[in-house]
Amino acid sequence: MGAGGEGLGRESGLMAQPTALAGLKVLDLSQRFAHYCGKLLADMGADVVLVEKPRSGCALRAEAPFVADKPDPEYSIPFFYFNTSKRGITLDMAQAEGRELFRHLARDCDLVIEDGPPGALDTLGLGYSALAGIRPEIVLTSITPFGQTGPYAHYEADDLTLLAMGGF
């Protein structure tokens, strides 16, 4: 702080600097692996909207540790950490109305992040072909442990599995 108690924020009269990804609009469907991807984009200025399932929300809400050791979806420290700088909504993509709302959001979106099993969005009619039909410029990033095709594509994985499969 300066001699007069001035800091470097708005109170000092300095303007906030533009961020690297300002203006980028992202829909984040992460449930298993891709949480950090959305976090990085949001922390660099992208407008990231986390799309959660009704009732259960994001799977990270069940992950410990919890604030004050209180096991509650609203107290998950990993959920807080990975979702800083994001906005959030709840959509039931199993219902036609939820899928239609998602399509509406995708019209103004630049990027969709998803980490469901390969083909999961296709079965909902929301795969890349459908999204590109809504917005040709859209980018769909599908993050899975073993890719979208091949003999291991549908294998589940966690950190230990990935370390073992990678030869660590």
Side-chain angles (χ1 to χ4, degrees), residues 24-78:
L24 184 73
K25 295 180 182 180
V26 181
L27 291 174
D28 185 352
L29 300 172
S30 302
Q31 287 294 310
R32 305 178 308 161
F33 305 106
H35 303 290
Y36 197 62
C37 179
K39 175 186 174 34
L40 289 175
L41 294 171
D43 288 348
M44 289 191 286
D47 180 10
V48 180
V49 177
L50 176 67
V51 180
E52 295 189 75
K53 296 176 182 180
R55 292 169 292 287
S56 63
C58 176
L60 270 182
R61 289 184 177 274
E63 296 290 326
F66 297 97
V67 173
D69 289 325
K70 181 179 180 181
D72 183 284
E74 298 299 322
Y75 287 77
S76 169
I77 293 172

Side-chain angles (χ1 to χ4, degrees), residues 96-153:
E97 183 180 19
R99 292 189 299 273
E100 189 54 40
L101 287 169
F102 184 80
R103 286 184 193 95
H104 179 75
L105 291 170
R107 284 186 185 101
D108 295 323
C109 181
D110 301 300
L111 172 66
V112 174
I113 302 166
E114 67 98 8
D115 60 2
L121 284 181
D122 286 324
T123 63
L124 295 172
L126 299 172
Y128 178 73
S129 297
L131 294 176
I134 296 167
R135 181 170 170 86
E137 305 87 5
I138 202 162
V139 174
L140 174 61
T141 301
S142 299
I143 301 172
T144 59
F146 300 106
Q148 296 292 302
T149 60
Y152 300 130

Side-chain angles (χ1 to χ4, degrees), residues 1-6:
M1 295 201 133
E6 314 84 38

